[in-house]
């Protein structure tokens, strides 16, 4: 569920009359905002429909048990409805449901990429009006703040984190040891290395083990501009909009910094990794030819196939994948985990919040349907699903990482099979995550960036020409939106 479920969304649609449908718990004001008055749950027998993703639907019995263990009221039954796989498809499904004013599902697993589309149309409950002060304070003080802030819009809060996805580099310990490396002795788990060192290690490991691929990742049109390619940009000390504080806007009144050296260097890095030193734009002295050019057509599932088959040494994926690859039924303790390598240190980076090990944010939230006829019970369910006990249970059941950093050090987390071996790396990487822009223009901007990045990585354009074209497109979108 994860990166395909993590960060891609459609353009914001024009608001429709359906957004003004009256919900059972309140009425809509003239500007479309819901004025809620949710009474306390009174203990009546009720069934709440929870729309979730296949990962949770596949373990429904365990989820139901975890809800009871976490204190769900005995008179609240939960009907788990499994949605579709993929953030875009899930958004389309929710669009149909919410535009039609349907009262179910009552509670939904949502992605932060939906915030700027759903919130202004009154399609999600503002949780500032639904949650007790104690929970709101906890969200401010104890949670992964990038996750919480990603669901804010115009002062409202439209989701509570269910889990955070943390991307990192999985690798085969046995393969790198065959090449003479000592990942534990060299502290790969907690000491990020440079991309240059990474390239040398990958190349040596491929040669020592006679495998097909050194490093695999997704770089298709959907991910290259806003996710996996963007990650390379940030680790090189660059960004599309200067300092990270400019990510979400104001659109039309922020710098556009695509046609700069760090972005060019990121494209040169990827071309070096794909084509080696023979590429005319390769980085001098850096080892390459470790990343298959087929990655330009890979989404998440295809990108992991050769790693799953034992034919790749290193693989970029989300934290949920660890539970699969490092299980005893797969590669067990032969799987290692490292944070993202870097091109420049944070001190050397051009912009605030960039450089060093740095990874994009993934994850999912829980949101309430304002048209639900069972909001009091849905609020109770939401509180249980955001309890420490439930967070730790789903970490154990699915490998989905808790959105509260303090839980990484809990006794239960340290006893979770498989995942407990990787807590230090996950915690380090979770402290070095950023979120792509969340606004009405990001989808079109990221598409333009992806098109130019793809042209460059297919050796159809130079890095310089690609960033100049992307810069012009993004500046045009910025100026048109600001008018």
């Amino acid at each position: 569920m994860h990166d395909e479920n993590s960060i891609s969304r459609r353009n914001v649609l024009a608001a429709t009359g359906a957004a003004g449908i009256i919900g059972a718990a309140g009425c809509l004001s003239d500007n479309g905002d819901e004025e809620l008055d949710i009474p306390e749950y009174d203990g009546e027998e009720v069934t709440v429909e929870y729309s979730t993703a296949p990962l949770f639907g596949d373990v429904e019995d365990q989820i139901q048990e975890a809800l009871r263990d976490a204190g769900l009221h005995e008179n609240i039954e939960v009907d788990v409805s499994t949605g579709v796989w993929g953030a875009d498809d899930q958004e389309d499904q929710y669009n149909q449901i919410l535009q039609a004013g349907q009262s179910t599902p009552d509670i939904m697993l949502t992605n932060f990429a939906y915030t700027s589309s759903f919130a202004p149309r009154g399609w999600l409950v503002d949780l500032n009006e639904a949650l007790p002060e104690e929970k709101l304070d906890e969200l401010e003080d104890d949670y992964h703040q990038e996750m919480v802030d990603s669901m804010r819009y115009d002062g409202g809060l439209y989701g509570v984190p269910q889990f955070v996805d943390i991307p990192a580099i999985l690798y085969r310990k046995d393969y790198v040891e065959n090449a003479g490396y000592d990942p534990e002795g060299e502290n790969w788990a907690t000491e990020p290395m440079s991309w240059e060192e990474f390239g040398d290690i990958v190349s040596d490991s491929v040669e020592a083990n006679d495998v097909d691929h050194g490093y695999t990742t997704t770089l298709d049109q959907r991910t290259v501009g806003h996710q996996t390619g963007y990650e390379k940009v940030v680790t090189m000390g660059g960004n599309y909009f200067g300092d990270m504080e400019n990510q979400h806007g104001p659109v039309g009144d922020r710098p556009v910094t695509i046609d700069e050296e760090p972005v060019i260097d990121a494209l040169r890095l990827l071309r070096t990794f794909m084509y080696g030193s023979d590429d005319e734009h390769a980085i001098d002295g850096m080892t390459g030819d470790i990343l298959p050019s087929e990655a330009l057509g890979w989404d998440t599932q295809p990108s992991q196939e050769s790693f799953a088959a034992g034919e790749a040494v290193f693989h970029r994926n989300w934290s949920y994948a660890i539970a699969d690859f490092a299980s005893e039924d797969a590669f067990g303790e032969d799987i290692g985990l490292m944070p993202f390598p870097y091109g420049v240190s944070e001190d050397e980076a051009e912009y605030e919040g960039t450089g060093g090990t740095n990874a994009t944010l993934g994850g999912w939230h829980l949101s309430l349907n304002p048209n639900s006829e069972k909001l009091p019970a849905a609020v109770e369910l939401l509180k249980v699903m955001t309890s420490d006990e439930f967070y730790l249970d789903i970490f154990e059941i699915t490998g989905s990482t808790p959105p509260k950093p303090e839980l990484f050090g809990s006794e239960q987390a340290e006893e979770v099979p498989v995942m407990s071996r990787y807590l230090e790396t996950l915690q380090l990487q979770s402290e070095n995550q950023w979120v792509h822009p969340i606004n009405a223009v990001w989808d079109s901007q990221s598409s333009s960036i992806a098109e130019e990045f793809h042209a460059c990585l297919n050796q159809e354009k130079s890095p310089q020409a690609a960033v100049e074209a992307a810069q012009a497109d993004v500046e045009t979108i910025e100026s048109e939106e600001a008018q």
Side-chain angles (χ1 to χ4, degrees):
M1 179 188 294
H2 300 275
D3 86 323
E4 66 259 52
N5 292 329
S6 287
I7 320 185
S8 180
R9 63 167 212 79
R10 311 287 189 217
N11 287 325
V12 176
L13 304 174
T16 66
I21 293 174
I22 294 176
C27 60
L28 292 175
S29 61
D30 291 339
N31 65 4
D33 294 330
E34 189 87 23
E35 295 178 347
L36 287 172
D37 181 18
I38 303 176
E40 290 286 328
Y41 171 64
D42 61 6
E44 69 173 339
E45 292 186 0
V46 63
T47 298
V48 176
E49 183 177 332
Y50 166 45
S51 175
T52 188
L55 179 71
F56 289 90
D58 291 344
V59 290
E60 180 180 350
D61 290 346
Q62 293 167 276
I63 295 297
Q64 295 278 11
E65 182 179 354
L67 288 170
R68 295 299 175 199
D69 290 344
L72 183 64
H73 196 284
E74 62 183 0
N75 287 341
I76 298 178
E77 297 293 331
V78 181
D79 178 13
V80 177
S81 62
T82 300
V84 291
W85 191 280
D88 286 347
D89 292 335
Q90 187 69 70
E91 182 178 6
D92 288 343
Q93 188 173 80
Y94 286 153
N95 259 313
Q96 296 173 23
I97 291 169
L98 296 170
Q99 186 173 14
Q102 295 180 24
S103 60
T104 58
D106 305 283
I107 185 168
M108 303 171 289
L109 193 70
T110 53
N111 190 267
F112 53 79
Y114 311 161
T115 311
S116 59
S117 176
F118 290 1
R121 298 150 94 179
W123 283 6
L124 302 174
V125 170
D126 181 355
L127 298 177
N128 287 318
E129 303 174 28
L131 294 177
E133 202 67 35
E134 179 182 357
K135 188 65 184 182
L136 294 173
D137 290 342
E138 185 184 346
L139 286 166
E140 288 292 330
D141 298 336
D142 300 335
Y143 275 71
H144 189 301
Q145 280 307 299
E146 288 282 3
M147 277 293 287
V148 175
D149 291 344
S150 69
M151 291 299 282
R152 297 191 192 280
Y153 185 88
D154 197 23
L157 176 67
Y158 296 95
V160 176
Q162 180 66 109
F163 60 89
V164 60
D165 262 334
I166 305 168
I169 307 291
L170 294 90
Y171 65 93
R172 288 289 298 271
K173 278 189 192 176
D174 50 341
Y175 287 177
V176 300
E177 288 170 352
N178 289 344
Y181 292 98
D182 179 12
E184 293 184 3
E186 297 169 17
N187 298 320
W188 288 8
T190 55
E191 295 183 14
M193 64 179 65
S194 69
W195 284 117
E196 184 173 3
E197 181 182 2
F198 177 78
D200 291 339
I201 293 170
V202 176
S203 181
D204 290 344
S205 300
V206 169
E207 185 175 348
N209 294 278
D210 191 28
V211 293
D212 291 342
H213 298 142
Y215 168 49
T216 57
T217 186
T218 167
L219 286 170
D220 68 353
Q221 191 78 19
R222 187 184 70 81
T223 58
V224 68
H226 81 263
Q227 190 184 91
T228 47
Y230 202 170
E231 284 169 340
K232 301 295 191 298
V233 169
V234 176
T235 63
M236 300 300 279
N239 191 27
Y240 301 153
F241 302 102
D243 295 339
M244 280 292 173
E245 66 181 11
N246 302 319
Q247 285 296 84
H248 311 309
V251 175
D253 190 25
R254 58 181 172 173
V256 178
T257 55
I258 301 171
D259 63 345
E260 297 188 358
E261 205 64 35
V263 186
I264 293 172
D265 287 344
L267 292 173
R268 293 183 65 203
L269 174 76
L270 285 169
R271 285 197 37 167
T272 306
F273 281 178
M274 284 183 175
Y275 306 111
S277 58
D278 290 341
D279 185 275
E280 63 177 312
H281 297 289
I283 297 175
D284 292 340
M286 180 173 284
T287 302
D289 200 18
I290 60 172
L291 170 63
S293 59
E294 291 91 338
L296 294 171
W298 285 346
D299 210 319
T300 305
Q301 293 301 115
S303 79
Q304 65 188 28
E305 288 179 2
S306 66
F307 190 76
E311 289 295 332
V313 185
F314 291 82
H315 173 61
R316 181 261 188 223
N317 212 320
W318 301 88
S319 44
Y320 81 98
I322 299 167
D324 291 332
F325 286 121
S327 71
E328 295 309 312
D329 294 334
F331 300 116
E333 296 192 18
D334 282 337
I335 292 295
L337 191 72
M338 64 164 63
F340 274 67
Y342 61 90
V344 301
S345 68
E346 291 181 38
D347 292 339
E348 298 170 319
E350 186 78 15
Y351 295 110
E352 188 69 29
T354 72
T357 184
N358 238 314
T360 189
L361 180 70
W364 288 79
H365 293 74
L366 295 168
S367 300
L368 298 179
N369 180 353
N371 296 299
S372 168
E373 298 173 356
K374 303 166 183 176
L375 277 177
V379 170
E380 286 300 303
L381 176 58
L382 188 150
K383 289 190 290 187
V384 169
M385 296 180 77
T386 57
S387 65
D388 290 356
E389 185 170 359
F390 189 74
Y391 281 141
L392 287 167
D393 281 348
I394 63 170
F395 181 47
E396 183 168 351
I397 295 167
T398 68
S400 299
T401 317
K404 298 176 71 174
E406 67 180 23
L407 296 181
F408 284 98
S410 68
E411 183 176 332
Q412 184 176 344
E414 292 174 355
E415 294 177 353
V416 170
V418 181
M419 297 298 291
S420 59
R421 299 199 296 265
Y422 307 99
L423 290 175
E424 287 185 322
T425 304
L426 291 172
Q427 185 157 18
L428 172 66
Q429 196 71 85
S430 75
E431 295 167 357
N432 293 275
Q433 286 185 276
W434 48 272
V435 64
H436 70 65
I438 299 172
N439 54 45
V441 299
W442 173 241
D443 192 55
S444 55
Q445 289 180 334
S446 63
S447 293
S448 293
I449 294 168
E451 183 176 347
E452 296 303 329
F453 278 17
H454 250 215
C456 174
L457 298 179
N458 276 307
Q459 297 180 305
E460 298 166 0
K461 278 188 175 183
S462 70
Q464 183 72 48
V467 299
E468 288 176 356
Q471 174 87 10
D473 285 348
V474 170
E475 284 181 339
T476 298
I477 295 168
E478 290 275 306
S479 62
E480 289 176 349
E481 180 69 14
Q483 291 175 359

